[in-house]
Amino acid sequence: MTIARFEDVEFGDDLPTFDPDTGMENVRRFAKAAQMMAARFTDHEGAKKEGLAGAMVPGVMSQAILAAMIHRWAPDADLVKIDTIFRAPVMVDERHHVNGVVTDLNEDERTAEVDLTVTNDAGETRVLGTATVKLP
Amino acid sequence: MILDLHSHSIASDDGRAKVENYCKWIRKKEVPIDGFVLTEHRQFDFAGDYAALARDFDLTILKASEVETEYGHVLVFGVTPALTERFDFGAIGLPLVRVIEESQHHGAIAVPCHPGRTKVGMCAHIETLGVPDGVTIVETLNGGSRGSEDESAQAMAAQLGYQGVGGSDAHIVSHIGRCATRFPAPVRSETELVEALQAGEFEALSWK
């Protein structure tokens, strides 16, 4: 479901969730485009040599995934601010889930505050944050 | 009476939730808690007055602190102005035993939180620093725990005879109330919270 106008949104609304492609091929594609071709992102063995449990999704890619969720929900909205806190690595080739929920509305500004999370199959929050979205 | 004993508002450097929105969320989503405790990082929020919100939403809203010791992070309930003069709440690596002793002396109580967490939890530090004196309660259910962190906390509590409390460790609105603590009687003030913890009749709860 997409929303078009501020009036379509209520406090507590869930944004449509989706499972982003955090497989190695897609992460390598992102890393190449973002000029971040480092082993910690693109190679499990290379990442382990750096002391990591495996390759991890770049933080900026996680943020981009969260931004994409907002644009899927509200295609005509402006993303005024997105603020992410990285609690734990988002591991490449593990399944993740992206969620958002409306936690504040400003009628004067026609903005919505949205809580954002990236969780794994164990239900662990790997990334959390908030966004401010200005709606038509 | 169920209270979320561990939450952060925008007063904390990594907190993103307004207190009013916690209240709205609890009522809108029918989160099964009667209130929450704001445990801001490395400070006590003397300025924050949430009495009107508490009244409007019929919730108990209390204030406490989360300080940082050589054993990891520690919640301090029952903070008074005099206690904040006894050690630097903003410091990193405070001596845990001193935090415990000063808290006791000023009618407060110190509770190590997320003890199963690497670096900022007590379990790992016991291996190198030994068992600290004076701990009676630890947080055994934390809403932000990953992997086996809560299990590690519970195992340590069982081994050392600590009681366990629960708190969400919420930093965003929608995470409030994921873990909490049930008390047998109403808790309406910071003083009553300390008394309830000292009485030892409580139960950690999780809705994760």
Side-chain angles (χ1 to χ4, degrees), chain A residues 39-130:
Chain A
R40 72 178 73 97
F41 304 129
T42 59
D43 175 49
H44 285 304
E45 291 308 313
K48 287 175 182 172
K49 287 178 183 172
E50 294 186 30
L52 301 167
M56 60 183 186
V57 175
V60 68
M61 182 173 172
S62 291
Q63 196 171 57
I65 288 167
L66 291 165
M69 175 180 60
I70 291 168
H71 288 304
R72 286 182 182 203
W73 169 65
D76 297 325
D78 289 332
L79 183 52
V80 177
K81 185 195 78 175
I82 186 165
D83 172 28
T84 43
I85 301 169
F86 299 96
R87 288 296 194 213
V90 174
M91 304 307 294
V92 175
D93 289 330
E94 291 184 10
R95 198 165 64 159
H96 294 86
H97 317 283
V98 180
N99 292 279
V101 62
V102 176
T103 59
D104 200 9
L105 292 167
N106 184 324
E107 289 185 19
D108 295 335
E109 301 286 336
R110 298 182 70 81
T111 57
E113 291 286 326
V114 180
D115 277 5
L116 306 166
T117 57
V118 179
T119 58
N120 62 10
D121 266 351
E124 299 166 349
T125 302
R126 315 299 284 185
V127 181
L128 58 85
T130 57

Side-chain angles (χ1 to χ4, degrees), chain B residues 153-162:
Chain B
Q154 290 157 15
M156 180 193 71
Q159 182 185 354
L160 298 174
Y162 301 150

Side-chain angles (χ1 to χ4, degrees), chain A residues 10-14 83-85 87-88 101-104 113 115-117 124-126 128-130, chain B residues 14-18 21 24-25 28-29 41 143-148 169 171-175 178:
Chain A
E10 289 188 13
F11 182 93
D13 280 355
D14 289 309
D83 172 28
T84 43
I85 301 169
R87 288 296 194 213
V101 62
V102 176
T103 59
D104 200 9
E113 291 286 326
D115 277 5
L116 306 166
T117 57
E124 299 166 349
T125 302
R126 315 299 284 185
L128 58 85
T130 57
Chain B
D14 61 349
R16 300 293 183 266
K18 297 173 189 166
N21 291 338
K24 288 180 181 174
W25 183 265
K28 173 81 175 184
K29 297 294 183 179
H41 288 294
S145 287
R146 295 178 290 274
S148 59
D169 203 358
H171 288 72
I172 57 176
V173 172
S174 54
H175 282 179
R178 295 193 302 179

